[in-house]
Amino acid sequence: AAPVPLFDASLLPVRHARARALNGDYFLHERAFAECLDRIATVRKRFESAWLLGPDRPGWRERLSSIGVTRLAFNGPENDELPTFAAELCVSIGILDTIEDLPALLVGLRHLLAPGALFIGAFAGGKSLPMLRSAMASADRTEGLARPHFHPLIDPASFGSLLASAGFADPVVDV
């Protein structure tokens, strides 16, 4: 029997569309993107080609262009096709924690990226949102229920191992 999927792939684009329609606040995505750009700025290498994995937020393409990216492909909930060129940079924001087969995706990305490419990303992992998770568990206990409100979160040490297993050189995981 096939394993039961963790995620309903059809729901992610629906939820992103609903958030956009409600003028959803993407402050966590914005902060993660800004922090990734700060880290990219510390790298001596310049990147002319890039992939952006995650939500297509206003201004992100322009901000990547401002650091020298002249060729950019976007891949997000509404577009799940991988780019057809080997990029020198891959920036992933808020999407890796919702991938059904993350090890396979990482191996695929490593093979598709140009030699010496930089892969940088941000996602909720480990012990993210502890107060919210605790409040929801407490509310469930009060109601006599036990419901999952969060999908399994990736431990930082495990993610480093996933990157190494996928063949990324010198993987670094920051919390």
Side-chain angles (χ1 to χ4, degrees):
V4 176
L6 285 174
F7 307 107
D8 182 342
S10 67
L11 288 180
L12 192 57
V14 170
R15 289 180 177 150
H16 281 279
R18 182 178 60 208
R20 277 193 307 276
L22 297 171
N23 293 322
D25 193 347
Y26 284 85
F27 72 94
L28 289 176
H29 287 118
E30 292 293 339
R31 180 174 174 182
F33 186 73
E35 287 188 20
C36 285
L37 288 180
D38 287 346
R39 286 176 172 84
I40 292 167
T42 66
V43 177
R44 288 193 177 127
K45 180 179 177 174
R46 293 296 148 229
F47 307 99
E48 293 182 13
S49 60
W51 296 344
L52 177 55
L53 306 178
D56 190 13
R57 300 297 306 143
W60 285 11
R61 293 172 190 243
E62 294 79 11
R63 287 160 71 189
L64 285 169
S65 178
S66 75
I67 64 168
V69 173
T70 57
R71 186 173 188 193
L72 177 65
F74 165 73
N75 178 277
E78 296 82 13
N79 173 16
D80 61 0
E81 294 180 23
L82 287 175
T84 57
F85 63 91
E88 302 162 320
L89 171 66
C90 180
V91 180
S92 174
I93 305 295
I95 201 166
L96 294 178
D97 58 329
T98 61
I99 301 297
E100 188 69 38
D101 190 352
L102 185 56
L105 175 77
L106 292 174
V107 168
L109 283 175
R110 191 196 49 80
H111 286 294
L112 291 172
L113 289 169
L118 174 65
F119 173 73
I120 187 166
F123 59 91
K127 306 238 184 269
S128 294
L129 307 170
M131 291 180 6
L132 178 59
R133 291 169 27 172
S134 175
M136 288 181 163
S138 178
D140 284 349
R141 281 191 299 275
T142 301
E143 293 180 15
L145 302 170
R147 293 182 296 219
H149 296 281
F150 289 89
H151 57 288
L153 298 175
I154 303 166
D155 176 72
S158 297
F159 190 67
S161 296
L162 284 173
L163 289 170
S165 295
F168 283 93
D170 305 320
V172 174
V173 176
D174 187 5
V175 178

